[in-house]
Amino acid sequence: MDYEQVRAVDSAVADALAGEDTRQEETLAMIASENHVSKAVLEAQGSALTNKYAEGYPGKRYYAGCEYADEVEQLAIDRAKELWGAEHVNVQPHSGTQANQAVYFATLDPGDKILSLDLTHGGHLSHGHPANFVGQFYEVEQYEVDPETGYLDYDGLAEMADEFDPDMIVSGYSAYPREVEWERIQDVADDVGAYHLADIAHITGLVAAGVHQSPVGVTDFVTGSTHKTIRAGRGGIVMTSEEHADDIDNAVFPGGQGGPLMHNIAGKAVGFKEALQPDFEEYAQQVVDNADVLAETFADHGFEVVSGGTDTHLVLVDLRESHPDLPGGEAEDALAEAGIVLNANTVPGETRSPFNPSGIRAGTPGLTTRGFDEEATAEVGELIYRVVDNHDDQRVIDEVSERIDELCAAYPLYE
Ligand code: DSN
């Protein structure tokens, strides 16, 4: 985009926006939680709906002039119901964390007990980290993955639930590469009489496309964000049954938010329509196929891949075996210099600081949106290994950077 209007008012912001466009075009976005939305979603998010207050819900607003806001929000709701097969959907949460907040607020009292996965094992801040409001308002215990296999320890989770007697069990993760067996966790929740929240923020698109099993209709609540594998722009979503519909709607508004971000809800509506097209299933399958190839390539070169592979869109590498002196943050920096943007990540059994942990996390949603297939992704896997293995060799970083430039030009983003 040329940002002509912005430039006329504010050249500093116009320069930064143009710089970001170029950065996204000329580097590979491999942060597993990121993706690239279509120009249609961008346009909807940049629309005049940003001006509109629409507190309330379609047909029942606290402001006049909501006829188009109603139309857009109802379309987003109806399309989400069709995509995920949910009885009730709330599309107003500003983010995945605020979607989780709504579920806690609807179901728990301060001091109630939450059982969730530890952050360093793949959980999310909003599942109960002490620095997050969840860790401070509720009593939280955390389960872990099996240190040997990297898979969820379902039996350990059941034992912990038995002892801790939680009011809420949280499943769904930020850095867990394997398929989640929602029904096994639901059985545990049933046994101890706890609610079950499945946070599918990372895998919304995979679930919608049927390439990962769905928790909808299995767990009490499903939350997600709308800008990751589903490509519908920034925001959050809550799905539940009719039984909990009013409680969730009241917890989102007025419980936790004021006016909904109607321009973002327009983006969600457009992105959901795109995801309802037949080619979205192909996209989601390709995301998983590409991640599988990436994991294989890493393993072939000697990286320790957590859990030995992936069933999803992400691959987690524990660098401690192959590169014991290289913290994830330094690997992240060297890769960024070469044009491969991913993030350092904690790994199960983490021994370093969360600010400079022992692993790196790589995702394929962004590459796949650009059109990368398995062959192209395997090449990226090799380039990643090369940079990590030669992180202090500027010549190698420059060579890889040149190849990344070629790949970005061959798979353009916004033509
Ligand atoms: N912070 C995001 C991630 O990178 O996984 C999740 O919200």
Side-chain angles (χ1 to χ4, degrees):
M1 280 172 74
D2 55 15
Y3 302 108
E4 207 179 305
Q5 304 293 329
V6 181
R7 189 165 299 285
V9 177
D10 185 341
S11 61
V13 169
D15 284 348
L17 294 176
E20 176 61 13
D21 284 353
T22 305
R23 189 194 68 78
Q24 290 191 23
E25 196 68 55
E26 296 182 357
T27 60
L28 295 182
M30 295 190 74
I31 292 175
S33 47
E34 292 185 1
N35 206 335
H36 305 286
V37 298
S38 67
K39 282 185 178 171
V41 171
L42 286 179
E43 197 170 272
Q45 286 194 316
S47 70
L49 271 175
T50 195
N51 300 330
K52 189 69 198 103
Y53 259 113
E55 286 179 9
Y57 289 100
K60 199 176 167 209
R61 303 284 188 183
Y62 290 84
Y63 291 87
C66 288
E67 56 270 35
Y68 297 109
D70 277 5
E71 218 170 286
V72 161
E73 185 166 347
Q74 195 57 54
L75 283 167
I77 292 168
D78 292 344
R79 288 168 184 168
K81 283 183 175 176
E82 195 178 340
L83 268 175
W84 287 285
E87 279 180 21
H88 182 77
V89 176
N90 187 307
V91 295
Q92 291 194 4
H94 303 333
S95 70
T97 289
Q98 288 193 262
N100 290 341
Q101 178 188 320
V103 173
Y104 303 138
F105 192 55
T107 54
L108 303 177
D109 291 319
D112 278 355
K113 297 177 177 178
I114 295 177
L115 181 59
S116 57
L117 186 69
D118 187 277
L119 184 79
T120 61
H121 285 242
H124 188 256
L125 277 174
S126 65
H127 297 177
H129 191 276
N132 188 268
F133 78 95
V134 182
Q136 298 183 16
F137 286 9
Y138 305 105
E139 185 183 341
V140 178
E141 285 226 352
Q142 302 214 285
Y143 55 97
E144 299 186 342
V145 299
D146 182 323
E148 295 305 314
T149 63
Y151 279 67
L152 281 171
D153 177 5
Y154 293 93
D155 294 335
L157 165 59
E159 274 171 36
M160 280 188 83
D162 231 17
E163 271 180 34
F164 182 52
D165 194 20
D167 300 289
M168 168 76 74
I169 296 179
V170 182
S171 63
Y173 314 106
S174 293
Y176 181 67
R178 291 302 184 175
E179 178 138 20
V180 183
E181 297 177 52
W182 312 110
E183 287 188 13
R184 282 184 79 175
I185 302 178
Q186 184 58 41
D187 286 346
V188 176
D190 287 341
D191 283 348
V192 298
Y195 288 115
H196 181 186
L197 160 62
D199 176 350
I200 61 167
H202 268 254
I203 55 170
T204 42
L206 308 187
V207 169
V211 303
H212 186 294
Q213 60 182 271
S214 175
V216 176
V218 176
T219 68
D220 303 290
F221 305 98
V222 177
T223 55
S225 47
T226 51
H227 46 275
K228 298 186 173 90
T229 43
I230 198 68
R231 295 192 298 201
R234 284 278 145 185
I237 188 169
V238 184
M239 298 177 246
T240 189
S241 56
E242 280 304 334
E243 183 192 349
H244 300 296
D246 289 345
D247 289 342
I248 285 298
D249 286 352
N250 289 329
V252 174
F253 169 82
Q257 294 184 174
L261 306 179
M262 288 312 309
H263 54 305
N264 277 13
I265 291 174
K268 291 174 190 179
V270 173
F272 294 165
K273 179 159 188 186
E274 290 171 344
L276 282 165
Q277 306 313 306
D279 61 355
F280 187 75
E281 279 179 35
E282 280 165 42
Y283 164 74
Q285 186 60 55
Q286 190 67 55
V287 166
V288 174
D289 292 346
N290 286 347
D292 191 39
V293 159
L294 192 64
E296 255 177 49
T297 310
F298 285 165
D300 287 350
H301 282 84
F303 271 158
E304 188 189 336
V305 174
V306 174
S307 85
T310 183
D311 303 319
T312 65
H313 62 301
L314 70 86
V315 183
L316 189 59
V317 173
D318 185 340
L319 292 168
R320 289 174 298 186
E321 276 292 315
S322 60
H323 298 82
D325 300 325
L326 181 65
E330 285 176 35
E332 176 189 299
D333 289 346
L335 286 161
E337 203 184 332
I340 299 168
V341 183
L342 48 65
N343 66 291
N345 214 93
T346 54
V347 291
E350 183 57 67
T351 43
R352 285 197 172 96
S353 132
F355 295 105
N356 197 4
S358 303
I360 51 174
R361 184 186 66 163
T364 53
L367 295 191
T368 310
T369 293
R370 296 182 83 126
F372 280 61
D373 59 8
E374 288 97 316
E375 194 184 338
T377 305
E379 182 181 353
V380 173
E382 284 179 19
L383 295 172
I384 289 174
Y385 186 85
R386 217 174 141 215
V387 170
V388 170
D389 204 37
N390 298 279
H391 59 277
D392 45 12
D393 186 336
Q394 193 61 44
R395 187 187 51 85
V396 171
I397 290 175
D398 291 344
E399 272 173 25
V400 172
S401 175
E402 272 173 38
R403 182 60 188 145
I404 295 297
D405 286 345
E406 288 167 5
L407 285 170
C408 288
Y411 296 91
L413 197 48
Y414 294 113
E415 286 174 287

